[in-house]
Amino acid sequence: MSKEELILVKLGGSVITFKHRPFYEDLDTIKRLAREIKEARDEKDFRLIVGHGGGSYPHIPAKQYETFKGVIDEKSYEGIAKVQDAASRLNRIIVGELIDAGVNAVSFHLSSSCIAENGVIKKIFLDPLKKLLDFNMVPVPYGDVCLDLKKGCCILSTEMILTYLAKTFIETEKKYKVSRIIMCTDVGGVFTDDPKKNLHAELIPKITPDNFDEIVAYVKGSLAVDVTGGMLHKVKSLLELAKLGIESEIIDGKKPGMLKRALLGEKGLGTLITKD
Ligand code: ADP
């Protein structure tokens, strides 16, 4: 029996929120992306997981309470509650818009299904997520606070979650084959320098394990309020998957039509991250 195609998408915090304005989502963009997902699924048969970042929602309390450091004092518990609340409030907006567009989306909370150890995912209870895929529904995980066996708590980025899922699907899953990962961000891919600051920055069309070291010298972390973000984190996570044979592409989610085209299989829309 041939495996069903499974695509993992990340809607970056920079696409779905205005990163420098606390608790401010870009509703027009969220609605459009939800429509593009619906249209692509109407045209082509594939299973889908849509993860998303937190942008200006959880990163403010996460920074204030230093949640990424773990449970460091009595205030940390208040921090865990507030970060979870902020992240899941944005999640409800995304899921609500997907449902309005006709996509049967369901929230998938890592804060209540996952345990980490020293900031690394140790185990996720994936049975419900797999069941949703069996129903051809769309699970929606997101960057979230996670309980941690060593540190008490940590922050999981969407990249960490999607990487874990992709690896698990390679190792254990009989029904679904992860065909590609699509990362929507607010720039056209990885550039030789931050394209928002340097107008002469050039797009790097392809990153492989061979040219990564050379490129890393150029790629700088995003300077926005973001405890787990930045381009480098994205590229490193995706390169790990490229080595396992999963191709991914970083595209501009603010540009209408890009996500739909990527979902329908078009390549070369941004920066491709691949084995060779
Ligand atoms: P997201 O929230 O979409 O996951 P991030 O904010 O973590 O994305 O990273 C994307 C940001 O990285 C872009 O908005 C861009 O300003 C910044 N950036 C820094 N260096 C680069 C680079 N070399 N190429 C592309 N983007 C870069």
Side-chain angles (χ1 to χ4, degrees), residues 10-17 19-20 52-56 59 158-159 183-197 201-204 215 218-226 228-235 250-251 271:
K10 178 191 172 188
L11 308 178
S14 64
V15 183
I16 56 175
T17 71
K19 266 201 163 173
H20 300 280
H52 65 83
S56 66
H59 295 302
T158 320
E159 281 79 0
M183 295 265 171
C184 298
T185 186
D186 67 341
V187 291
V190 183
F191 287 76
T192 50
D193 194 4
D194 187 341
K196 282 190 193 149
K197 295 184 187 133
E202 284 172 32
L203 180 73
I204 301 166
I215 283 161
Y218 294 112
V219 182
K220 300 184 183 78
S222 161
L223 297 176
V225 183
D226 193 333
T228 48
M231 251 325 160
L232 190 57
H233 177 59
K234 240 178 275 306
V235 174
I250 300 176
I251 60 167
T271 298

Side-chain angles (χ1 to χ4, degrees), residues 2-57:
S2 69
K3 290 187 186 178
E4 294 260 8
E5 176 180 10
L6 169 64
I7 300 178
L8 310 188
V9 166
K10 178 191 172 188
L11 308 178
S14 64
V15 183
I16 56 175
T17 71
F18 296 98
K19 266 201 163 173
H20 300 280
R21 294 163 81 174
F23 299 98
Y24 205 137
E25 67 279 1
D26 182 348
L27 204 54
D28 289 346
T29 298
I30 297 170
K31 282 181 189 291
R32 175 181 52 75
L33 292 168
R35 271 198 314 272
E36 289 188 25
I37 289 169
K38 168 68 176 151
E39 286 170 15
R41 273 167 68 82
D42 284 348
E43 283 179 37
K44 198 180 136 196
D45 198 14
F46 58 91
R47 308 285 157 140
L48 180 67
I49 296 175
V50 177
H52 65 83
S56 66
Y57 268 72

